[in-house]
Amino acid sequence: MNELQTIRFSWIKITTDEFAVIEHFDTSRMDIAINIGFAALPPEHVLAIQTKCTFNQQGKPRLVIAVSGYFDIDPVDWQTMYDKEKKTLYLALQPARALASLTLSTLRGVLHAKTEGLSVNAIPLPPIDLAEIVKEPVFITLPDEVPA
């Protein structure tokens, strides 16, 4: 298994996994929690990355949105990232951040589209430093029956 600093991929799907405006709120004072999750979907050589933002006010969630990007990874790169003995897929830090950035940017667009014409459209989603969220390479354990 080698550490690839760049991987070849193509987008295959974007999903809005969650969207809820729980109650009306003051959009000027929000705490934002951001979570990013990584999953591998063999045997198709697909990585799924979900970005979820929860907008909280006074300790309560007021708006929740989660978006997933599905990326078809080049089979040669997948083989390089996959450790057959450990049954893990290794995603180096740089490509992990790059793919997370794509899903975060997509989330921004979905948030705008879903809230267009609503008072909550004024919610600011500030610049986010993914280096503070994705701090290390990603290891994904795969099922035993994954083909090489």
Side-chain angles (χ1 to χ4, degrees):
M1 174 181 69
N2 295 323
E3 182 170 312
L4 294 177
Q5 292 304 312
T6 60
I7 57 173
R8 294 167 288 181
F9 66 90
S10 60
W11 278 93
I12 54 174
K13 183 168 61 169
I14 297 167
T15 60
T16 302
D17 304 322
E18 209 174 330
F19 178 76
V21 178
I22 297 155
E23 69 181 64
H24 295 285
F25 51 90
D26 176 6
T27 60
S28 66
R29 292 179 297 187
M30 302 293 302
D31 294 318
I32 302 170
I34 299 172
N35 295 311
I36 297 176
F38 295 83
L41 306 172
E44 293 85 18
H45 305 133
V46 172
L47 278 176
I49 297 159
Q50 183 187 69
T51 302
K52 181 176 181 175
C53 288
T54 305
F55 297 82
N56 300 299
Q57 191 170 63
Q58 297 174 341
K60 296 180 184 177
R62 306 297 183 174
L63 188 147
V64 179
I65 182 168
V67 172
S68 291
Y70 294 81
F71 303 93
D72 183 23
I73 306 302
D74 178 88
V76 172
D77 291 351
W78 183 277
Q79 295 251 345
T80 303
M81 297 161 48
Y82 180 58
D83 184 324
K84 291 179 187 178
E85 290 178 18
K86 296 180 182 174
K87 295 180 178 50
T88 57
L89 192 73
Y90 174 80
L91 184 59
L93 185 58
Q94 186 59 34
R97 284 183 182 153
L99 293 175
S101 177
L102 289 172
T103 60
L104 179 60
S105 296
T106 301
L107 180 136
R108 286 180 188 277
V110 172
L111 178 63
H112 172 73
K114 293 271 191 190
T115 61
E116 197 165 19
L118 303 175
S119 63
V120 295
N121 188 255
I123 293 174
L125 184 54
I128 295 160
D129 182 3
L130 285 170
E132 294 296 318
I133 298 171
V134 182
K135 296 180 180 183
E136 53 191 40
V138 176
F139 289 90
I140 303 169
T141 303
L142 301 175
D144 289 338
E145 63 274 1
V146 173

